[in-house]
Amino acid sequence: MVEYIYLKPGEQMPEMADEDAWLVVEASDDDRFFGSGYGFKASGEGVFYASLPKSDLSLESALDAAKQWAAKYQVPRIWVQATPD
């Protein structure tokens, strides 16, 4: 199960070590939500995440896409910045 951690306005996701999986969904000034992250395939190979335009349209769709990716690539939590900085 993936955990959501909601950040306060202006708060940033903590720095992560190179061997840590991470994923963040961030609000933009144009009412979209962009996701990026890093996880691991079952083989241990690293893989990057960048959200697709179709999932950027709402927080709900961004979190749905991020959650699916996180479950597949061993990411335990998603950091969420629901308001733009």
Side-chain angles (χ1 to χ4, degrees):
M1 184 167 175
V2 176
E3 173 187 16
Y4 294 114
I5 299 174
Y6 286 86
L7 302 167
K8 296 175 187 167
E11 185 179 13
Q12 298 294 314
M13 179 186 87
E15 292 290 323
M16 305 300 281
D18 289 342
E19 63 275 359
D20 291 335
W22 59 273
L23 206 154
V24 62
V25 172
E26 299 176 287
S28 69
D29 290 333
D30 62 358
D31 297 324
R32 293 186 294 164
F33 297 87
F34 299 103
S36 60
Y38 184 75
F40 298 94
K41 294 180 180 181
S43 66
E45 179 183 359
V47 60
F48 286 99
Y49 174 75
S51 61
L52 298 173
K54 67 181 181 180
S55 64
D56 296 341
L57 301 177
S58 72
L59 181 57
E60 182 180 324
S61 64
L63 290 177
D64 284 346
K67 182 178 177 181
Q68 290 177 32
W69 190 88
K72 183 175 181 179
Y73 293 109
Q74 305 173 41
V75 179
R77 66 191 54 87
I78 299 172
W79 301 89
V80 181
Q81 181 57 267
T83 58
D85 287 336

